[in-house]
Amino acid sequence: MFSGRMSRVAPSPTLRVTAEADRLRRQGVDVVDLGAGEPDFPTPDHIKDAARHAIDTNFTKYTPSAGVMELREAICSRYRQDYGVDFRAEETIVTAGAKQALYNAALALFEEGDEVITHAPYWPTIPEQVKLAGATPVIVQTHGEDGFAIQAQPMLDAITPRTRGIVINSPCNPTGALISEEAMTAIADAAAKRGIWIVADVTYEKLLYDATPHNLVRILAERHRDRSVICSATSKAYAMTGWRCGWAIAPAKAITAFNAIQGHSTSNVCSITQKAAVAALTGPQDGVTMMLNEYRTRRDRVWEWLREDQRFTCEKPRGAFYLFPNCVDALEPAGARTSSEFAEALLSEARVAVTAGEGFDAPGFFRISYATSIDRLREGVTRIHEFVHRRERGRASA
Ligand SMILES: Cc1ncc(COP(=O)(O)O)c(C=O)c1O
């Protein structure tokens, strides 16, 4: 009934949790939603004002498919300020979120017979897009014991003559892990030697909690500029997930290819959104810092609270807004065989939505998003603990 490619692609498990939590909520159920992959903050006012102004001045027509020059230049200027790297507007394309930037890259760079290396636990869209492009994802596992650090050597060991690309996501969803600058340098150098593309998904680039240097952009620009694609968005940094604005930064020839795909699929990102994104990138950045500080507080609190039951173990994540605890020791007491069963029972009995590790290629773990208020987080963690204790007692007395 459907094309062959549909047998290769799986629906997004993260969106599934949100949908189920939403269904329960619409029935009036009090769900603590720790599944959300988006900021709970509103978009800052000056960004919304720019959008209103765009409407009022009738900036409501098609724009160039790759985005208005003002926004492409704003992206360059932001990266110059943040990373000390000069890009030209022709090296950028404005996309419908980081997702479309990554998708353009997958379709333009990878095809049947190619292998594309990435690390797990992963954000599921990464391997699915590689498969949609006809290529084969090659998965390198990272490990909970060292906070899921993305190490260079295992990634390099996975290179074969068919390797066409390496996708790095740092800070990583779902683990909050970072790749070190040393590891990024080693991967960039090896990829440069072999002509392998590097796609860096830095969507959470503004959500870094420690002072550790993390200038992946400069490393790629200096060591592997002719085959690197940097993908990001206003989504997480500026609380703009619904606006759908992202970008890819890549060699001008690659941008032309991405634009050919985009020009025949979605065309330009909403003109109003583009004006809002200009305000986000060029306007005051103190809102970003405020949100970062709040996320840091939440991260620290949730991490401590969760450990009140030592069967949940987790290194403190260093970026993004997720905790990715190991729940293997809590499964048996909770009467669950898998983290998927655990998450399902948690939602149906304790009304807490989390995302099971299976969807991220990490059974035995689950993802907590701390992009929600501190009160809801406290309530959520309490419910998780009570859920395990209640089931444990129930099993003991059965
Ligand atoms: C790692 C990662 N990359 C990209 C995206 C896509 O972001 P956007 O909403 O800008 O398309 C997400 C969204 O959750 C993500 O977690």
Side-chain angles (χ1 to χ4, degrees):
M1 188 173 172
F2 299 116
S3 68
R5 84 176 60 83
M6 290 315 296
S7 63
R8 297 195 294 257
V9 66
S12 162
T14 51
L15 295 182
R16 213 167 47 219
V17 181
T18 315
E20 177 59 10
D22 209 47
R23 196 185 64 79
L24 287 170
R25 245 192 323 257
R26 274 186 282 109
Q27 290 175 354
V29 177
D30 167 32
V31 177
V32 179
D33 189 356
L34 308 181
E38 62 180 340
D40 56 317
F41 297 102
T43 303
D45 284 340
H46 70 282
I47 299 175
K48 292 194 280 199
D49 289 344
R52 281 190 205 98
H53 185 70
I55 297 174
D56 291 343
T57 54
N58 297 313
F59 192 73
T60 51
K61 305 278 200 289
Y62 288 134
T63 76
S65 160
V68 292
M69 206 35 91
E70 185 188 8
L71 178 52
R72 297 172 76 187
E73 281 167 358
I75 294 166
C76 296
S77 148
R78 185 78 263 142
Y79 277 65
R80 194 174 305 120
Q81 285 180 60
D82 289 350
Y83 298 106
V85 179
D86 276 314
F87 292 108
R88 290 174 292 116
E90 307 84 81
E91 294 172 286
T92 66
I93 180 171
V94 179
T95 57
K99 202 174 248 185
Q100 189 182 24
L102 291 159
Y103 193 48
N104 285 343
L107 289 192
L109 306 178
F110 310 138
E111 62 191 335
E112 276 78 9
D114 291 342
E115 292 177 351
V116 179
I117 300 169
T118 194
H119 47 90
Y122 48 61
W123 178 54
T125 294
I126 291 173
E128 294 303 331
Q129 288 188 344
V130 168
K131 287 194 258 169
L132 280 171
T136 305
V138 174
I139 307 301
V140 173
Q141 289 293 334
T142 60
H143 305 283
E145 304 85 68
D146 61 359
F148 297 102
I150 304 155
Q151 313 276 6
Q153 201 52 53
M155 302 284 285
L156 300 182
D157 290 344
I159 293 176
T160 74
R162 292 165 71 167
T163 305
R164 177 108 172 131
I166 298 176
V167 184
I168 304 280
N169 172 217
S170 179
C172 174
N173 173 9
T175 63
L178 308 184
I179 188 167
S180 68
E181 290 195 337
E182 295 71 33
M184 188 73 255
T185 304
I187 292 173
D189 288 351
K193 224 182 276 167
R194 296 171 177 82
I196 295 170
W197 283 94
I198 293 185
V199 178
D201 175 355
V202 297
T203 301
Y204 296 90
E205 62 188 315
K206 296 280 183 188
L207 301 181
L208 293 168
Y209 300 110
D210 311 318
T212 324
H214 194 61
N215 197 336
L216 306 188
V217 173
R218 188 156 69 208
I219 292 167
L220 291 174
E222 284 177 356
R223 309 183 88 94
H224 194 37
R225 187 159 182 152
D226 61 344
R227 292 223 175 181
S228 288
V229 183
I230 293 155
C231 300
S232 191
T234 53
S235 307
K236 317 286 176 172
Y238 301 98
M240 289 180 70
T241 44
W243 298 76
R244 309 307 302 136
C245 184
W247 50 82
I249 303 176
K253 271 192 187 155
I255 294 294
T256 305
F258 301 169
N259 196 23
I261 293 167
Q262 188 162 304
H264 291 300
S265 48
T266 58
S267 292
N268 64 273
V269 167
C270 166
S271 56
I272 300 153
T273 286
Q274 290 190 60
K275 287 289 186 183
V278 170
L281 294 173
T282 60
Q285 302 293 303
D286 45 345
V288 179
T289 313
M290 180 280 290
M291 291 188 261
L292 177 69
N293 290 337
E294 177 63 28
Y295 289 134
R296 184 189 290 105
T297 306
R298 295 174 186 178
R299 174 197 66 158
D300 293 347
R301 305 291 287 280
V302 182
W303 186 74
E304 279 163 22
W305 291 333
L306 197 67
R307 281 158 24 113
E308 286 165 7
D309 184 333
Q310 295 192 348
R311 289 173 290 195
F312 297 102
T313 51
C314 180
E315 289 286 309
K316 207 181 255 190
R318 302 171 62 199
F321 40 57
Y322 308 106
L323 230 59
F324 201 57
N326 184 327
C327 60
V328 167
D329 292 343
L331 293 183
E332 211 248 354
R337 281 166 303 184
T338 61
S339 39
S340 234
E341 278 186 13
F342 181 86
E344 273 165 34
L346 192 63
L347 183 56
S348 63
E349 280 179 35
R351 309 307 197 193
V352 181
V354 297
T355 315
E358 279 82 351
F360 307 105
D361 200 4
F365 293 82
F366 67 95
R367 190 188 76 175
I368 291 179
S369 161
Y370 49 88
T372 191
S373 75
I374 204 96
D375 293 345
R376 295 308 275 167
L377 287 166
R378 178 65 265 192
E379 172 69 18
V381 177
T382 302
R383 286 191 198 184
I384 292 171
H385 288 161
E386 284 175 359
F387 162 75
V388 176
H389 296 156
R390 197 168 48 243
R391 283 200 147 205
E392 198 172 24
R393 278 196 307 274
R395 285 161 65 77
S397 60

